[in-house]
Amino acid sequence: MTQYNISITSDIVCPWCYIGHTRLSKAIAKHKESNPNDTFKLSYKPFYLNPAAQVHASGSGPEPPPFPIPSIDRREYYASKFGPQRAKQIEAMMIQTSHDEGLDFKFGGKTGPSRNGHRLIRYAQNHGGEDAQNAAMKGLWRRYFEQEVDITTLDTLVEVGVEAGLGSAEGVKQFLESGAEAKTVDEEAEQARDKGISGVPHYEIQGLYEVSGAQEPRAFEMLFKRYKDSEAKAEAGKTAANGSACL
């Protein structure tokens, strides 16, 4: 049995991160067809596509409360970032790509800073483990990319937290309104950039292999096999060495 540890640097408002998750899930399912006893542990780390949009205190005063967060029309934002014509082309391409992966991307609704969403993911990791983390990530992605929901609002984040099994709505709300873990996710997002990660998704497998971007499932499958083959080779070497020592 092989335990695969995969660290994933991503942003909640990154369409390729959702697609990458879908492709990685397909690769894991394919690998387990031949290796049913192998296990996979996923750990999500934060990344800010728009660092300047995060909420920070100005000067030496206290940091502003985490809510409310201003959000803006998504299509208007993309038009301002890429230009109107290019934004339309990107939208059409992403809708088609999502359909190819069994998803249903839409680009209406609003967008805003993802900091509070990353705080919720950290809360899920600490209070519900990997299953809660994955449920919260997928809950946020599904709402943002397929349901055109504004995931910057307190009500939406509380809803996702309860759906992920993080306890009562009041408990999740209390955490979010407290501002806890904000500096931690800020620091981790900065550490990702310090490591040279400039785009997401970014995957680290077993601390040995790095994959940048939402690669096709086959790319992940090949790395899973490479590691498993190297593990088997190392084990065979140990067995041979032990056998020689007994002669």
Side-chain angles (χ1 to χ4, degrees):
M1 184 187 81
T2 300
Q3 165 75 54
Y4 290 92
N5 296 299
I6 306 178
S7 175
I8 307 166
T9 303
S10 67
D11 198 355
I12 299 157
V13 295
C14 166
W16 287 110
C17 293
Y18 192 11
I19 289 171
H21 165 80
T22 303
R23 292 175 175 175
L24 173 61
S25 298
K26 291 177 180 178
I28 290 173
K30 183 67 174 178
H31 177 86
K32 288 177 72 68
E33 288 179 4
S34 303
N35 305 276
N37 293 324
D38 286 358
T39 58
F40 290 80
K41 179 177 177 57
L42 309 183
S43 177
Y44 282 93
K45 295 184 177 181
F47 189 89
Y48 298 151
L49 288 175
N50 301 292
Q54 300 306 310
V55 180
H56 293 288
S58 59
S60 59
E63 182 162 333
F67 298 94
I69 295 292
S71 55
I72 61 175
D73 182 89
R74 284 179 69 189
R75 286 195 172 96
E76 289 181 5
Y77 169 73
Y78 291 136
S80 67
K81 183 175 182 178
F82 301 110
Q85 188 60 36
R86 178 60 178 154
K88 290 179 181 179
Q89 293 172 347
I90 292 173
E91 178 177 334
M93 182 268 291
M94 293 306 307
I95 288 173
Q96 182 58 57
T97 302
S98 75
H99 286 174
D100 293 343
E101 300 297 335
L103 304 173
D104 184 22
F105 278 13
K106 300 179 180 68
F107 286 85
K110 293 186 175 183
T111 189
S114 57
R115 189 194 203 195
N116 286 325
H118 287 298
R119 289 178 53 230
L120 180 65
I121 298 304
R122 171 51 61 88
Y123 187 73
Q125 291 169 338
N126 292 339
H127 290 80
E130 184 183 0
D131 288 344
Q133 165 204 256
N134 295 342
M137 285 295 301
K138 287 187 282 187
L140 290 168
W141 277 330
R142 185 176 65 253
R143 284 168 173 80
Y144 185 70
F145 289 110
E146 299 188 89
Q147 299 174 356
E148 300 179 322
V149 172
D150 184 353
I151 60 172
T152 69
T153 70
L154 177 60
D155 287 347
T156 296
L157 291 169
V158 169
E159 180 181 83
V160 172
V162 172
E163 184 181 278
L166 300 180
S168 69
E170 186 57 37
V172 176
K173 181 180 180 182
Q174 183 176 6
F175 163 76
L176 289 167
E177 289 185 320
S178 74
E181 301 285 7
K183 294 192 181 300
T184 301
V185 297
D186 285 349
E187 290 169 359
E188 289 195 349
E190 187 63 29
Q191 288 169 7
R193 290 189 178 273
D194 289 344
K195 289 172 61 176
I197 298 174
S198 58
V200 287
H202 183 272
Y203 307 85
E204 292 185 14
I205 301 172
Q206 303 298 78
L208 297 173
Y209 313 121
E210 295 190 26
V211 178
S212 296
Q215 301 295 327
E216 295 290 339
R218 182 59 180 161
F220 294 108
E221 292 170 38
M222 291 173 64
L223 290 179
F224 298 158
K225 184 178 186 304
R226 181 187 299 180
Y227 181 78
K228 196 166 185 67
D229 289 347
S230 68
E231 189 179 53
K233 185 176 180 180
E235 187 61 32
K238 288 180 183 178
T239 301
N242 291 338
S244 298
C246 294
L247 294 176

